[in-house]
Amino acid sequence: MNLSFFMKILPKLSLHKTIYYSLKYKGVIFVGKGTKVNIARKGRVLFKNRKSSLYLGVHFSTASGATLDIFENGRLVVAKSVGIHRGTKIVIKKNAQLNMGAESFINENSRVMCSKKITIGNNSSISWNVNISDTDSHGIYIEKKLINPNAEIHIGNKVWICANTTITKGTIIESNCIVGTNSLVVGKRLYSNNIYAGNPLKNIKKFDEWGEL
């Protein structure tokens, strides 16, 4: 991180929270102004290596608070330059773990509810107003037997999840995959080099790669 970048981001930071959480979790956590951080005594933010960093509620144009709630023994594991942007809420429940790969980000006003395990790979882009949840939040029982247990979500490397999409428990999205706007992914496996979209979800077409316009 060079000096010009630091000077650009400095006015957007809550300095005391940035310093406090960076020291507490022995890594670089940039906390934007208005961001709420609630981490239980045994909750943790873990860094994969010395170059890992977390941008929490900091967007490069403006800063507007995000929310991070980590319950007892919950874990947020981050790699290099992970972004959780303004208005986004992350909830990691007791004993659950959210893994975010290098250069991945979750854009504005999205929601992630992690009650078991969610993995987001390297260079993956989660757009705005996206909901990702590995739980139904309420148990459904037949003869006292739980019929809707939590199930892990795995999102591979260089996956693009477009705006207003919902991803539910048990979903596996392989690397180099695109999920179109307003899609609903309910516990499916999506395969590499394919574009999926819709509700109900359909395989639209194959492609080679995607990147910035």
Side-chain angles (χ1 to χ4, degrees):
M1 182 179 65
N2 58 42
L3 180 60
S4 62
F5 174 81
F6 182 76
M7 295 306 294
K8 182 179 179 180
I9 200 174
L10 183 62
K12 304 166 188 175
L13 298 179
S14 170
L15 283 179
H16 70 283
K17 289 182 180 179
T18 295
I19 294 169
Y20 174 78
Y21 288 109
S22 294
L23 291 174
K24 183 172 182 178
Y25 296 111
K26 300 179 181 179
V28 179
I29 304 177
F30 295 102
V31 182
K33 291 179 179 178
T35 292
K36 298 178 181 178
V37 181
N38 305 294
I39 301 177
R41 184 172 57 88
K42 292 185 179 180
R44 293 289 183 272
V45 177
L46 303 175
F47 294 89
K48 287 187 175 180
N49 55 59
R50 290 183 300 172
K51 294 183 178 180
S52 297
S53 56
L54 173 63
Y55 295 82
L56 186 58
V58 181
H59 191 276
F60 295 124
S61 58
T62 60
S64 179
T67 300
L68 174 63
D69 294 333
I70 303 179
F71 289 73
E72 289 292 323
N73 294 314
R75 298 288 186 267
L76 171 60
V77 182
V78 298
K80 181 181 179 182
S81 194
V82 168
I84 297 172
H85 291 174
R86 57 187 179 181
T88 288
K89 183 171 184 178
I90 308 292
V91 179
I92 304 172
K93 302 293 282 186
K94 183 178 180 181
N95 299 321
Q97 182 166 310
L98 170 62
N99 301 316
M100 293 193 64
E103 309 293 339
S104 63
F105 67 87
I106 301 174
N107 219 325
E108 301 171 12
N109 301 316
S110 292
R111 297 289 182 270
V112 177
M113 174 64 74
C114 181
S115 289
K116 188 172 184 179
K117 188 176 183 180
I118 297 174
T119 298
I120 299 172
N122 300 331
N123 301 110
S124 285
S125 301
I126 312 300
S127 193
W128 56 87
N129 297 324
V130 170
N131 293 296
I132 302 173
S133 179
D134 65 359
T135 179
D136 294 333
S137 296
H138 297 84
I140 302 173
Y141 298 85
I142 296 179
E143 296 179 349
K144 298 184 178 181
K145 182 179 179 180
L146 180 67
I147 64 169
N148 65 327
N150 301 332
E152 296 182 16
I153 292 173
H154 183 86
I155 298 171
N157 299 324
K158 202 174 183 185
V159 170
W160 178 14
I161 309 296
C162 296
N164 303 308
T165 290
T166 295
I167 298 173
T168 71
K169 64 183 188 179
T171 293
I172 299 173
I173 302 177
E174 294 183 357
S175 296
N176 199 40
C177 191
I178 298 172
V179 181
T181 300
N182 294 315
S183 296
L184 175 62
V185 187
V186 183
K188 294 181 178 293
R189 187 180 192 111
L190 309 187
Y191 295 96
S192 296
N193 302 100
N194 282 280
I195 301 172
Y196 296 83
N199 180 12
L201 192 73
K202 295 181 179 179
N203 189 326
I204 304 300
K205 65 174 64 177
K206 286 187 171 293
F207 71 104
D208 295 323
E209 59 182 352
W210 65 271
E212 297 293 331
L213 286 176

PDB file of all heavy atoms in Angstrom, residues 162-167 178-186 188 190 195-204:
ATOM      1  N   CYS A 162     -24.261 -11.763 -10.151  1.00  0.00           N
ATOM      2  CA  CYS A 162     -24.839 -10.469 -10.516  1.00  0.00           C
ATOM      3  C   CYS A 162     -25.912 -10.025  -9.515  1.00  0.00           C
ATOM      4  O   CYS A 162     -26.329 -10.785  -8.634  1.00  0.00           O
ATOM      5  CB  CYS A 162     -25.420 -10.545 -11.922  1.00  0.00           C
ATOM      6  SG  CYS A 162     -24.175 -10.845 -13.207  1.00  0.00           S
ATOM      7  N   ALA A 163     -26.368  -8.782  -9.680  1.00  0.00           N
ATOM      8  CA  ALA A 163     -27.221  -8.110  -8.697  1.00  0.00           C
ATOM      9  C   ALA A 163     -28.543  -8.838  -8.451  1.00  0.00           C
ATOM     10  O   ALA A 163     -29.088  -9.501  -9.334  1.00  0.00           O
ATOM     11  CB  ALA A 163     -27.502  -6.688  -9.164  1.00  0.00           C
ATOM     12  N   ASN A 164     -29.022  -8.681  -7.218  1.00  0.00           N
ATOM     13  CA  ASN A 164     -30.357  -9.155  -6.803  1.00  0.00           C
ATOM     14  C   ASN A 164     -30.519 -10.672  -6.870  1.00  0.00           C
ATOM     15  O   ASN A 164     -31.629 -11.177  -7.022  1.00  0.00           O
ATOM     16  CB  ASN A 164     -31.446  -8.483  -7.648  1.00  0.00           C
ATOM     17  CG  ASN A 164     -31.389  -6.973  -7.566  1.00  0.00           C
ATOM     18  OD1 ASN A 164     -31.370  -6.403  -6.481  1.00  0.00           O
ATOM     19  ND2 ASN A 164     -31.323  -6.321  -8.719  1.00  0.00           N
ATOM     20  N   THR A 165     -29.417 -11.381  -6.741  1.00  0.00           N
ATOM     21  CA  THR A 165     -29.443 -12.840  -6.784  1.00  0.00           C
ATOM     22  C   THR A 165     -29.499 -13.416  -5.377  1.00  0.00           C
ATOM     23  O   THR A 165     -28.941 -12.854  -4.445  1.00  0.00           O
ATOM     24  CB  THR A 165     -28.201 -13.362  -7.534  1.00  0.00           C
ATOM     25  OG1 THR A 165     -28.332 -13.041  -8.923  1.00  0.00           O
ATOM     26  CG2 THR A 165     -28.011 -14.852  -7.387  1.00  0.00           C
ATOM     27  N   THR A 166     -30.179 -14.540  -5.230  1.00  0.00           N
ATOM     28  CA  THR A 166     -30.232 -15.269  -3.963  1.00  0.00           C
ATOM     29  C   THR A 166     -29.606 -16.642  -4.144  1.00  0.00           C
ATOM     30  O   THR A 166     -29.942 -17.363  -5.090  1.00  0.00           O
ATOM     31  CB  THR A 166     -31.677 -15.410  -3.470  1.00  0.00           C
ATOM     32  OG1 THR A 166     -32.206 -14.110  -3.164  1.00  0.00           O
ATOM     33  CG2 THR A 166     -31.746 -16.274  -2.217  1.00  0.00           C
ATOM     34  N   ILE A 167     -28.702 -16.994  -3.222  1.00  0.00           N
ATOM     35  CA  ILE A 167     -28.031 -18.292  -3.232  1.00  0.00           C
ATOM     36  C   ILE A 167     -28.319 -18.981  -1.916  1.00  0.00           C
ATOM     37  O   ILE A 167     -28.021 -18.438  -0.837  1.00  0.00           O
ATOM     38  CB  ILE A 167     -26.519 -18.133  -3.442  1.00  0.00           C
ATOM     39  CG1 ILE A 167     -26.246 -17.485  -4.808  1.00  0.00           C
ATOM     40  CG2 ILE A 167     -25.803 -19.476  -3.337  1.00  0.00           C
ATOM     41  CD1 ILE A 167     -24.803 -17.123  -5.037  1.00  0.00           C
ATOM     42  N   ILE A 178     -20.746 -17.586 -14.169  1.00  0.00           N
ATOM     43  CA  ILE A 178     -21.508 -16.353 -14.037  1.00  0.00           C
ATOM     44  C   ILE A 178     -22.954 -16.695 -13.690  1.00  0.00           C
ATOM     45  O   ILE A 178     -23.550 -17.585 -14.318  1.00  0.00           O
ATOM     46  CB  ILE A 178     -21.468 -15.518 -15.329  1.00  0.00           C
ATOM     47  CG1 ILE A 178     -20.026 -15.103 -15.666  1.00  0.00           C
ATOM     48  CG2 ILE A 178     -22.360 -14.285 -15.205  1.00  0.00           C
ATOM     49  CD1 ILE A 178     -19.884 -14.438 -17.027  1.00  0.00           C
ATOM     50  N   VAL A 179     -23.496 -15.969 -12.704  1.00  0.00           N
ATOM     51  CA  VAL A 179     -24.907 -16.106 -12.356  1.00  0.00           C
ATOM     52  C   VAL A 179     -25.562 -14.753 -12.617  1.00  0.00           C
ATOM     53  O   VAL A 179     -25.185 -13.743 -12.031  1.00  0.00           O
ATOM     54  CB  VAL A 179     -25.094 -16.522 -10.895  1.00  0.00           C
ATOM     55  CG1 VAL A 179     -26.586 -16.682 -10.579  1.00  0.00           C
ATOM     56  CG2 VAL A 179     -24.354 -17.828 -10.601  1.00  0.00           C
ATOM     57  N   GLY A 180     -26.544 -14.723 -13.510  1.00  0.00           N
ATOM     58  CA  GLY A 180     -27.140 -13.472 -13.970  1.00  0.00           C
ATOM     59  C   GLY A 180     -28.031 -12.792 -12.951  1.00  0.00           C
ATOM     60  O   GLY A 180     -28.415 -13.362 -11.916  1.00  0.00           O
ATOM     61  N   THR A 181     -28.396 -11.567 -13.253  1.00  0.00           N
ATOM     62  CA  THR A 181     -29.214 -10.724 -12.385  1.00  0.00           C
ATOM     63  C   THR A 181     -30.562 -11.369 -12.084  1.00  0.00           C
ATOM     64  O   THR A 181     -31.167 -12.017 -12.934  1.00  0.00           O
ATOM     65  CB  THR A 181     -29.433  -9.364 -13.070  1.00  0.00           C
ATOM     66  OG1 THR A 181     -28.163  -8.750 -13.299  1.00  0.00           O
ATOM     67  CG2 THR A 181     -30.289  -8.444 -12.226  1.00  0.00           C
ATOM     68  N   ASN A 182     -31.021 -11.183 -10.831  1.00  0.00           N
ATOM     69  CA  ASN A 182     -32.339 -11.636 -10.373  1.00  0.00           C
ATOM     70  C   ASN A 182     -32.505 -13.157 -10.413  1.00  0.00           C
ATOM     71  O   ASN A 182     -33.606 -13.666 -10.587  1.00  0.00           O
ATOM     72  CB  ASN A 182     -33.465 -10.987 -11.204  1.00  0.00           C
ATOM     73  CG  ASN A 182     -33.531  -9.493 -10.997  1.00  0.00           C
ATOM     74  OD1 ASN A 182     -33.458  -9.000  -9.877  1.00  0.00           O
ATOM     75  ND2 ASN A 182     -33.669  -8.752 -12.090  1.00  0.00           N
ATOM     76  N   SER A 183     -31.406 -13.863 -10.214  1.00  0.00           N
ATOM     77  CA  SER A 183     -31.461 -15.325 -10.250  1.00  0.00           C
ATOM     78  C   SER A 183     -31.710 -15.907  -8.860  1.00  0.00           C
ATOM     79  O   SER A 183     -31.405 -15.285  -7.840  1.00  0.00           O
ATOM     80  CB  SER A 183     -30.164 -15.894 -10.814  1.00  0.00           C
ATOM     81  OG  SER A 183     -29.989 -15.508 -12.161  1.00  0.00           O
ATOM     82  N   LEU A 184     -32.239 -17.117  -8.835  1.00  0.00           N
ATOM     83  CA  LEU A 184     -32.432 -17.881  -7.607  1.00  0.00           C
ATOM     84  C   LEU A 184     -31.726 -19.216  -7.766  1.00  0.00           C
ATOM     85  O   LEU A 184     -32.059 -20.002  -8.663  1.00  0.00           O
ATOM     86  CB  LEU A 184     -33.917 -18.103  -7.328  1.00  0.00           C
ATOM     87  CG  LEU A 184     -34.260 -18.987  -6.127  1.00  0.00           C
ATOM     88  CD1 LEU A 184     -33.749 -18.365  -4.819  1.00  0.00           C
ATOM     89  CD2 LEU A 184     -35.766 -19.237  -6.049  1.00  0.00           C
ATOM     90  N   VAL A 185     -30.726 -19.455  -6.899  1.00  0.00           N
ATOM     91  CA  VAL A 185     -29.940 -20.693  -6.947  1.00  0.00           C
ATOM     92  C   VAL A 185     -30.248 -21.476  -5.680  1.00  0.00           C
ATOM     93  O   VAL A 185     -29.849 -21.090  -4.586  1.00  0.00           O
ATOM     94  CB  VAL A 185     -28.432 -20.405  -7.057  1.00  0.00           C
ATOM     95  CG1 VAL A 185     -27.673 -21.708  -7.286  1.00  0.00           C
ATOM     96  CG2 VAL A 185     -28.135 -19.418  -8.181  1.00  0.00           C
ATOM     97  N   VAL A 186     -30.965 -22.585  -5.830  1.00  0.00           N
ATOM     98  CA  VAL A 186     -31.446 -23.348  -4.677  1.00  0.00           C
ATOM     99  C   VAL A 186     -30.732 -24.688  -4.629  1.00  0.00           C
ATOM    100  O   VAL A 186     -31.146 -25.658  -5.265  1.00  0.00           O
ATOM    101  CB  VAL A 186     -32.977 -23.547  -4.736  1.00  0.00           C
ATOM    102  CG1 VAL A 186     -33.467 -24.282  -3.490  1.00  0.00           C
ATOM    103  CG2 VAL A 186     -33.679 -22.207  -4.865  1.00  0.00           C
ATOM    104  N   LYS A 188     -28.091 -26.006  -5.933  1.00  0.00           N
ATOM    105  CA  LYS A 188     -27.671 -26.645  -7.174  1.00  0.00           C
ATOM    106  C   LYS A 188     -26.154 -26.610  -7.334  1.00  0.00           C
ATOM    107  O   LYS A 188     -25.473 -25.846  -6.664  1.00  0.00           O
ATOM    108  CB  LYS A 188     -28.317 -25.945  -8.380  1.00  0.00           C
ATOM    109  CG  LYS A 188     -29.828 -26.084  -8.454  1.00  0.00           C
ATOM    110  CD  LYS A 188     -30.364 -25.392  -9.677  1.00  0.00           C
ATOM    111  CE  LYS A 188     -31.872 -25.557  -9.797  1.00  0.00           C
ATOM    112  NZ  LYS A 188     -32.247 -26.964 -10.060  1.00  0.00           N
ATOM    113  N   LEU A 190     -23.442 -25.584 -10.114  1.00  0.00           N
ATOM    114  CA  LEU A 190     -23.277 -24.871 -11.368  1.00  0.00           C
ATOM    115  C   LEU A 190     -21.868 -25.113 -11.882  1.00  0.00           C
ATOM    116  O   LEU A 190     -20.902 -24.993 -11.126  1.00  0.00           O
ATOM    117  CB  LEU A 190     -23.529 -23.369 -11.165  1.00  0.00           C
ATOM    118  CG  LEU A 190     -24.826 -22.976 -10.452  1.00  0.00           C
ATOM    119  CD1 LEU A 190     -25.012 -21.470 -10.478  1.00  0.00           C
ATOM    120  CD2 LEU A 190     -26.034 -23.678 -11.056  1.00  0.00           C
ATOM    121  N   ILE A 195     -22.916 -19.693 -18.117  1.00  0.00           N
ATOM    122  CA  ILE A 195     -23.727 -18.599 -17.594  1.00  0.00           C
ATOM    123  C   ILE A 195     -25.096 -19.158 -17.239  1.00  0.00           C
ATOM    124  O   ILE A 195     -25.753 -19.808 -18.065  1.00  0.00           O
ATOM    125  CB  ILE A 195     -23.886 -17.473 -18.637  1.00  0.00           C
ATOM    126  CG1 ILE A 195     -22.522 -16.914 -19.048  1.00  0.00           C
ATOM    127  CG2 ILE A 195     -24.778 -16.353 -18.093  1.00  0.00           C
ATOM    128  CD1 ILE A 195     -22.584 -15.948 -20.217  1.00  0.00           C
ATOM    129  N   TYR A 196     -25.514 -18.895 -15.989  1.00  0.00           N
ATOM    130  CA  TYR A 196     -26.823 -19.323 -15.515  1.00  0.00           C
ATOM    131  C   TYR A 196     -27.627 -18.081 -15.153  1.00  0.00           C
ATOM    132  O   TYR A 196     -27.079 -17.079 -14.690  1.00  0.00           O
ATOM    133  CB  TYR A 196     -26.697 -20.204 -14.275  1.00  0.00           C
ATOM    134  CG  TYR A 196     -25.979 -21.512 -14.495  1.00  0.00           C
ATOM    135  CD1 TYR A 196     -24.584 -21.578 -14.468  1.00  0.00           C
ATOM    136  CD2 TYR A 196     -26.685 -22.678 -14.716  1.00  0.00           C
ATOM    137  CE1 TYR A 196     -23.919 -22.781 -14.665  1.00  0.00           C
ATOM    138  CE2 TYR A 196     -26.031 -23.895 -14.913  1.00  0.00           C
ATOM    139  CZ  TYR A 196     -24.645 -23.935 -14.882  1.00  0.00           C
ATOM    140  OH  TYR A 196     -24.006 -25.126 -15.067  1.00  0.00           O
ATOM    141  N   ALA A 197     -28.955 -18.148 -15.324  1.00  0.00           N
ATOM    142  CA  ALA A 197     -29.780 -17.001 -14.958  1.00  0.00           C
ATOM    143  C   ALA A 197     -31.232 -17.439 -14.817  1.00  0.00           C
ATOM    144  O   ALA A 197     -31.656 -18.463 -15.368  1.00  0.00           O
ATOM    145  CB  ALA A 197     -29.665 -15.887 -15.997  1.00  0.00           C
ATOM    146  N   GLY A 198     -31.985 -16.632 -14.045  1.00  0.00           N
ATOM    147  CA  GLY A 198     -33.425 -16.796 -13.995  1.00  0.00           C
ATOM    148  C   GLY A 198     -33.965 -17.409 -12.722  1.00  0.00           C
ATOM    149  O   GLY A 198     -33.241 -17.820 -11.827  1.00  0.00           O
ATOM    150  N   ASN A 199     -35.285 -17.447 -12.654  1.00  0.00           N
ATOM    151  CA  ASN A 199     -36.042 -18.077 -11.574  1.00  0.00           C
ATOM    152  C   ASN A 199     -37.317 -18.650 -12.204  1.00  0.00           C
ATOM    153  O   ASN A 199     -38.264 -17.918 -12.466  1.00  0.00           O
ATOM    154  CB  ASN A 199     -36.392 -17.063 -10.501  1.00  0.00           C
ATOM    155  CG  ASN A 199     -37.189 -17.674  -9.349  1.00  0.00           C
ATOM    156  OD1 ASN A 199     -37.290 -18.896  -9.250  1.00  0.00           O
ATOM    157  ND2 ASN A 199     -37.758 -16.829  -8.507  1.00  0.00           N
ATOM    158  N   PRO A 200     -37.303 -19.956 -12.524  1.00  0.00           N
ATOM    159  CA  PRO A 200     -36.289 -20.957 -12.190  1.00  0.00           C
ATOM    160  C   PRO A 200     -34.987 -20.777 -12.977  1.00  0.00           C
ATOM    161  O   PRO A 200     -34.985 -20.265 -14.093  1.00  0.00           O
ATOM    162  CB  PRO A 200     -36.972 -22.278 -12.545  1.00  0.00           C
ATOM    163  CG  PRO A 200     -37.948 -21.912 -13.609  1.00  0.00           C
ATOM    164  CD  PRO A 200     -38.458 -20.550 -13.254  1.00  0.00           C
ATOM    165  N   LEU A 201     -33.908 -21.250 -12.382  1.00  0.00           N
ATOM    166  CA  LEU A 201     -32.569 -21.078 -12.936  1.00  0.00           C
ATOM    167  C   LEU A 201     -32.391 -21.939 -14.181  1.00  0.00           C
ATOM    168  O   LEU A 201     -32.788 -23.103 -14.211  1.00  0.00           O
ATOM    169  CB  LEU A 201     -31.530 -21.458 -11.882  1.00  0.00           C
ATOM    170  CG  LEU A 201     -30.088 -21.070 -12.190  1.00  0.00           C
ATOM    171  CD1 LEU A 201     -29.909 -19.560 -12.025  1.00  0.00           C
ATOM    172  CD2 LEU A 201     -29.125 -21.818 -11.265  1.00  0.00           C
ATOM    173  N   LYS A 202     -31.769 -21.338 -15.212  1.00  0.00           N
ATOM    174  CA  LYS A 202     -31.486 -22.073 -16.445  1.00  0.00           C
ATOM    175  C   LYS A 202     -30.047 -21.841 -16.878  1.00  0.00           C
ATOM    176  O   LYS A 202     -29.469 -20.787 -16.607  1.00  0.00           O
ATOM    177  CB  LYS A 202     -32.428 -21.617 -17.564  1.00  0.00           C
ATOM    178  CG  LYS A 202     -33.896 -21.940 -17.313  1.00  0.00           C
ATOM    179  CD  LYS A 202     -34.760 -21.477 -18.468  1.00  0.00           C
ATOM    180  CE  LYS A 202     -36.222 -21.814 -18.216  1.00  0.00           C
ATOM    181  NZ  LYS A 202     -37.095 -21.356 -19.331  1.00  0.00           N
ATOM    182  N   ASN A 203     -29.490 -22.833 -17.555  1.00  0.00           N
ATOM    183  CA  ASN A 203     -28.170 -22.700 -18.170  1.00  0.00           C
ATOM    184  C   ASN A 203     -28.350 -21.953 -19.488  1.00  0.00           C
ATOM    185  O   ASN A 203     -29.008 -22.446 -20.413  1.00  0.00           O
ATOM    186  CB  ASN A 203     -27.558 -24.080 -18.398  1.00  0.00           C
ATOM    187  CG  ASN A 203     -26.104 -24.010 -18.833  1.00  0.00           C
ATOM    188  OD1 ASN A 203     -25.703 -23.097 -19.533  1.00  0.00           O
ATOM    189  ND2 ASN A 203     -25.327 -24.993 -18.445  1.00  0.00           N
ATOM    190  N   ILE A 204     -27.762 -20.736 -19.571  1.00  0.00           N
ATOM    191  CA  ILE A 204     -27.995 -19.881 -20.728  1.00  0.00           C
ATOM    192  C   ILE A 204     -27.027 -20.180 -21.859  1.00  0.00           C
ATOM    193  O   ILE A 204     -27.425 -20.379 -23.007  1.00  0.00           O
ATOM    194  CB  ILE A 204     -27.891 -18.389 -20.330  1.00  0.00           C
ATOM    195  CG1 ILE A 204     -28.858 -18.073 -19.187  1.00  0.00           C
ATOM    196  CG2 ILE A 204     -28.155 -17.495 -21.534  1.00  0.00           C
ATOM    197  CD1 ILE A 204     -30.305 -18.327 -19.510  1.00  0.00           C
TER     198      ILE A 204
END
